Amino acid sequence: MTAFTINGRAVEVAAEPDTPLLWVIRDTLKLTGTKYGCGIAACGACIVHVDGEPMPSCQTPLEMVAGRQVTTIEGLSPDSSHPLQKAWIAEQVPQCGYCQSGQIMRAAGLLASNPRPSREEIVAHMDGNLCRCGTYDRIVSAIERAAQEG
């Protein structure tokens, strides 16, 4: 059993220690907002926070989160009122929407460490997240809006 906290709730999971956290989140805990993209930590669709730091859950073994705090998109805010979530809607960021939870979670990590990033800092920080629909300009605009309004 591996014990950790997810979205403020203590859990114990019976899975092999090397099981990717992504599959524990989606299949065992039934939190499906975190998406599978590539499986090699190259696209950012599976980003969650571990002790406040953005991490690719597809390459994070379960044993690494033992005793730690994990936050998924479902835990970012209970009612979707996080400044980034509101800015995402205001800037009409999503098209297909598949990558958006990972995008928002990476952006939330940036704003937690740098509440007023420059456009260049935003672009550099978000470089590891891919959007096949190409909404990069709207993603940057939404992060800028959240930084101003947050």
Side-chain angles (χ1 to χ4, degrees):
M1 296 294 277
T2 302
F4 61 100
T5 302
I6 188 158
N7 300 334
R9 180 174 62 101
V11 296
E12 285 189 40
V13 175
E16 293 297 320
D18 63 346
T19 302
L21 178 61
L22 173 64
W23 301 123
V24 171
I25 291 169
R26 289 185 57 80
D27 296 343
T28 304
L29 301 175
K30 306 299 183 201
L31 297 170
T32 58
T34 304
K35 304 298 185 201
Y36 172 81
C38 65
I40 60 170
C43 73
C46 69
I47 297 294
V48 298
H49 292 181
V50 177
D51 292 338
E53 294 296 318
M55 298 186 88
S57 60
C58 73
Q59 290 293 303
T60 301
L62 178 61
E63 64 189 349
M64 188 174 163
V65 301
R68 299 174 79 182
Q69 303 278 331
V70 176
T71 305
T72 68
I73 190 70
E74 292 93 345
L76 193 60
S77 91
D79 59 0
S80 298
S81 63
H82 188 280
L84 280 166
Q85 291 168 315
K86 293 192 300 188
W88 238 248
I89 293 166
E91 294 294 329
Q92 300 178 18
V93 174
Q95 281 188 26
C96 83
Y98 197 83
C99 71
Q100 299 310 303
S101 61
Q103 299 276 1
I104 290 170
M105 293 305 288
R106 183 169 316 263
L110 170 63
L111 295 182
S113 65
N114 182 359
R116 299 281 187 248
S118 68
R119 187 171 187 85
E120 293 76 24
E121 289 170 324
I122 292 169
V123 169
H125 183 83
M126 297 302 292
D127 187 44
N129 281 61
L130 300 178
C131 174
R132 297 190 107 194
C133 298
T135 64
Y136 297 111
D137 287 336
R138 286 185 276 178
I139 289 168
V140 172
S141 294
I143 297 168
E144 289 174 327
R145 178 186 286 251
Q148 292 169 0
E149 295 177 1

